[in-house]
Amino acid sequence: MLFFLLRRLVFAGFLVFAVSSASLLLAELAPGDYVTGTLGFSATPEEMAALRARYGLDRPLAEQYVDWLARAARFDFGRSLANGRPVADLISEAAANTALLATTALVLATFIGLPLGVFSGARAGGVLPGMVRAASVFLLSMPPLLTSLFLVFLAARTGWFPIGGMSSIGPGGPGGNMESFEYVAIDLLRHMVVPVLALALPLSAMFERLQAQATAEVIAQPYVLATLARGVPRSRVVWRDALKAALRPVASIYGLVVGTLLSGSFAVEVITTWPGLGSLMLNALRARDVYLVAGCAAAGSIFLAAGTLVSDAALALVDPRARE
Amino acid sequence: MSRRPALHAFTVQRLGASVLITTAVAALAAPFVAPHETDRRFPGLLNAPPTAVRLRDAAGSWRAPFIYPWTRVSQLEQRYEEDRTSPVPLAWLATGRLVASSDDGRAPLLLLGADSFGRDVFSRLLFGARLSLALALLAALGATLIGALLGGVAGYVGGVVDDVMMRASDFVLVLPAMYVALVLRAMMPLTLDAPAVFALLAAIFAVVGSPFIARGVRAIVRTERALDYAAAAASLGAGHARVLCRHLLPAARGFLVVEITLLVPAFIVAEATLSYVGLGFPDTIASWGTMLEDASNIAAFADFPWLLSPAAAMFLVVWGLNLTLQNRSAGAQYERLM
């Protein structure tokens, strides 16, 4: 078990290193750099050279990379070229926002998808399970890009929820005591509804389908029939014994979900203007803000690594065979 | 335990298949079905709502299908009202089109309304379908080719080659596909013309999608390789390439078909996402992604919901596929699509 965890940790470290290095190098190699983007066509070559020298962009690529690596090893990820703030500060805010979105969506989807899956998998016929199933197929056909577009449309049309951003505090916000903790919390929650649902709906549909299939398979086993014949109540068999035996498919997909949640949250963040890693990375890529790109990639890969670690642990918990 | 009757599943499958076939036919026949060119602008009809095709006129008498012209009530809010006094008949099969308005200047047939430039959304949707679907299909075929080749070689050769290739593909698979595509796309010049964008996006999607295929093909080739028929082919003098391509890879056919049906919708959505953030096709070109981008520029969904029709079209394609092919795993569907 210890060796297993150690190996995963080494993989995680390699992941963070490789992903951030690769994105830094790709961003440096890309045609055009930050200077051409900001100064535009009218700039003289001298002006551009001066600005490049100021940012250290005129040095050879290898030197820039080694320098960045040496500083990154001391947790100094450089400064954003665009606004001069340390990359680490910019990223920790954005990463926290993305993490808030992704974990809320994951928890919500688990609590919606799993019980519904057990419910619809435990009985093959019936109107209600059929409706759950149809709803799942419907939602599985909607990637977060589409769910967020439709939810933003719905929110804008009805005015029930804010359609973008993270808070309406500041000028133009609704009245009331904007300093109080309750106000801030409720405001944040209201802004979270659209992006979280956009991520969570397709995810819960996927959990529901997987759990339903697994439950149906377990319930068809002879030992379940034997248990029922001994007089154990059906609800107890379904919700305790079969649930435990059928958890493996969902548990093993958790590792993948982290990656797809990051992918999905990109579309959601852009559409609902949620200030997370996705929007930050997009802007950094567009402006060729190289250190910020590398920093975003590093933060994203830390998420991935953490997610795979947690999911491996979860799988080991429900399935002893996975520990070897 | 009673199973759902077979008839039901069959009906659902037929529903899905008919959605897909309708989309494909509409895309193929776009020059015939679409009433307008994609870049035709109606300057007086920015964000005009869909034209209703009517059978009864204001006096209550029945007549051949006709439409009313839109008159602008408020230029600022872009509100329009039907001009009930002057019905315009539809012209069928005139000028090589299935149906169009008989007086395009005064009352164009806008079945799904007009966008913010006054262009016909329905016509753009049909022509956009050609671009978006062709890109997704081509990229899926490319991914299949690359993936089958890499996976086949890894499974056939085994040893160090296999180890290295599978580690590499595992590594790529862990990464969020959208970000990989985004970084690769952003590496290239940000503004390109349409053919360059098409080639570039197809190449990027093919590379990003190929590890899924390589992983599966490798597993299939590895098990098939140990079977007698592979040994028989080799002993008859077939070379490595022939054994792999003629005898082993055909065993992966079923897998490849399923993978393609998973990748195509994923690539449609990926194109839309990249175009939405301005890294896809230039906005003069009609694709489902550029149409969504146009809708986003003014955050206009709430007042002009017909601008969301490419999103609805995307949903219909994916839903149609999911209804038609119900035996694909939900996990794989979700994983590819995001």
Side-chain angles (χ1 to χ4, degrees):
Chain A
M1 186 71 188
L2 194 68
F3 179 69
F4 166 78
L5 276 181
L6 209 66
R7 217 177 48 190
R8 304 305 309 184
L9 267 177
V10 170
F11 174 75
F14 176 70
L15 185 77
V16 176
F17 164 74
V19 168
S20 49
S21 300
S23 45
L24 178 75
L25 292 176
L26 285 177
E28 293 259 17
L29 285 173
D33 60 4
Y34 176 71
V35 172
T36 49
T38 38
L39 288 186
F41 294 111
S42 55
T44 62
E46 291 78 40
E47 283 174 344
M48 291 170 91
L51 201 58
R52 283 212 180 92
R54 202 178 122 207
Y55 291 129
L57 294 172
D58 53 347
R59 294 171 298 162
L61 181 58
E63 198 188 314
Q64 287 187 50
Y65 173 60
V66 170
D67 190 37
W68 176 80
L69 214 58
R71 281 185 290 122
R74 298 190 301 265
F75 296 100
D76 171 12
F77 295 96
R79 284 170 181 277
S80 157
L81 301 179
N83 56 15
R85 287 183 61 196
V87 165
D89 291 1
L90 284 171
I91 289 194
S92 51
E93 276 167 34
N97 293 345
T98 296
L100 179 66
L101 208 61
T103 42
T104 319
L106 190 59
V107 171
L108 190 68
T110 310
F111 278 100
I112 298 175
L114 278 192
L116 280 179
V118 174
F119 167 74
S120 68
R123 53 196 78 201
V127 178
L128 220 52
M131 277 163 64
V132 171
R133 186 198 153 95
S136 283
V137 174
F138 188 85
L139 286 175
L140 255 183
S141 314
M142 282 214 196
L145 175 78
L146 301 186
T147 47
S148 45
L149 281 174
F150 290 129
L151 286 173
V152 165
F153 170 68
L154 208 66
R157 199 75 189 211
T158 58
W160 291 339
F161 297 107
I163 57 170
M166 240 183 116
S167 74
S168 42
I169 295 168
N177 181 9
M178 294 187 194
E179 305 290 305
S180 73
F181 174 74
E182 296 97 87
Y183 180 83
V184 175
I186 289 175
D187 186 56
L188 179 64
L189 278 179
R190 278 171 47 83
H191 281 83
M192 278 172 70
V193 170
V194 167
V196 163
L197 275 185
L199 270 181
L201 285 179
L203 187 58
S204 51
M206 189 267 283
F207 284 156
E208 191 276 329
R209 283 289 81 219
L210 279 186
Q211 191 60 38
Q213 271 158 17
T215 307
E217 269 164 35
V218 168
I219 284 192
Q221 300 280 329
Y223 74 82
V224 172
L225 192 64
T227 318
L228 287 173
R230 270 209 314 278
V232 181
R234 190 179 158 84
S235 62
R236 200 166 114 178
V237 174
V238 168
W239 290 99
R240 210 192 57 182
D241 306 324
L243 177 63
K244 227 189 267 174
L247 265 182
R248 192 176 188 278
V250 170
S252 63
I253 208 151
Y254 258 72
L256 285 174
V257 164
V258 182
T260 53
L261 267 180
L262 279 175
S263 267
S265 68
F266 173 73
V268 172
E269 282 172 13
V270 171
I271 289 173
T272 62
T273 59
W274 183 266
L277 269 182
S279 339
L280 190 67
M281 177 115 173
L282 179 65
N283 292 332
L285 276 170
R286 274 211 191 116
R288 309 282 193 223
D289 195 341
V290 282
Y291 300 123
L292 193 52
V293 170
C296 285
S301 50
I302 289 173
F303 272 139
L304 272 182
T308 25
L309 270 179
V310 171
S311 78
D312 284 342
L315 193 58
L317 215 62
V318 291
D319 186 1
R321 282 171 301 178
R323 272 172 228 167
E324 278 131 37
Chain B
M1 222 164 286
S2 72
R3 277 269 147 223
R4 193 163 279 287
L7 182 70
H8 174 76
F10 187 61
T11 327
V12 168
Q13 271 193 347
R14 274 215 296 216
L15 174 68
S18 49
V19 168
L20 289 182
I21 291 170
T22 314
T23 316
V25 169
L28 283 176
F32 175 64
V33 179
H36 303 109
E37 299 296 323
T38 51
D39 48 2
R40 172 86 188 268
R41 293 182 182 194
F42 299 98
L45 289 169
L46 309 187
N47 288 324
T51 325
V53 176
R54 303 184 176 271
L55 291 171
R56 287 184 82 169
D57 61 16
S61 53
W62 295 89
R63 41 193 295 181
F66 68 95
I67 55 178
Y68 288 122
W70 288 116
T71 47
R72 195 159 52 198
V73 183
S74 151
Q75 180 158 16
L76 189 67
E77 293 172 39
Q78 295 182 330
R79 274 191 300 115
Y80 298 85
E81 261 175 22
E82 282 183 329
D83 177 8
R84 294 283 169 98
T85 54
S86 55
V88 175
L90 292 180
W92 296 86
L93 296 171
T95 64
R97 303 196 183 269
L98 176 64
V99 61
S101 164
S102 60
D103 186 357
D104 238 0
R106 197 162 61 92
L109 178 64
L110 304 170
L111 285 173
L112 287 173
D115 66 8
S116 60
F117 294 96
R119 298 174 298 200
D120 177 12
V121 170
F122 180 67
S123 300
R124 287 177 73 75
L125 193 68
L126 292 186
F127 280 101
R130 305 178 107 184
L131 193 60
S132 296
L133 296 180
L135 173 66
L137 274 174
L138 191 75
L141 288 181
T144 310
L145 217 65
I146 302 174
L149 198 70
L150 293 182
V153 168
Y156 189 83
V157 177
V160 184
V161 179
D162 183 32
D163 273 352
V164 171
M165 280 163 95
M166 284 305 113
R167 281 289 144 77
S169 84
D170 279 351
F171 188 76
V172 177
L173 284 175
V174 168
L175 303 177
M178 199 55 236
Y179 279 93
V180 180
L182 183 73
V183 169
L184 290 178
R185 170 63 189 92
M187 242 203 88
M188 298 292 148
L190 296 181
T191 44
L192 290 168
D193 58 348
V197 171
F198 189 91
L200 182 61
L201 290 189
I204 290 174
F205 293 164
V207 168
V208 175
S210 60
F212 291 110
I213 308 233
R215 188 179 49 176
V217 168
R218 177 228 174 225
I220 293 171
V221 167
R222 264 186 87 86
T223 45
E224 294 292 315
R225 222 209 129 163
L227 297 183
D228 289 343
Y229 78 91
S235 65
L236 280 171
H240 292 307
R242 189 177 163 83
V243 172
L244 180 59
C245 297
R246 275 307 290 230
H247 299 278
L248 297 181
L249 280 184
R253 252 183 317 207
F255 166 77
L256 290 180
V257 170
V258 170
E259 276 302 311
I260 289 178
T261 65
L262 288 169
L263 286 179
V264 166
F267 292 157
I268 295 176
V269 173
E271 184 271 325
T273 312
L274 285 181
S275 291
Y276 187 90
V277 300
L279 289 174
F281 289 102
D283 48 13
T284 48
I285 304 289
S287 84
W288 288 353
T290 55
M291 293 176 71
L292 278 184
E293 189 203 3
D294 176 53
S296 77
N297 282 341
I298 37 173
F301 326 140
D303 295 327
F304 315 118
W306 49 91
L307 295 182
L308 278 179
S309 45
M314 255 179 267
F315 162 73
L316 277 181
V317 169
V318 184
W319 191 53
L321 267 172
N322 288 353
L323 287 183
T324 317
L325 309 160
Q326 300 223 346
N327 48 0
R328 302 174 309 164
S329 102
Q333 282 175 38
Y334 175 84
E335 186 192 355
R336 305 290 193 287
L337 200 53
M338 300 307 126

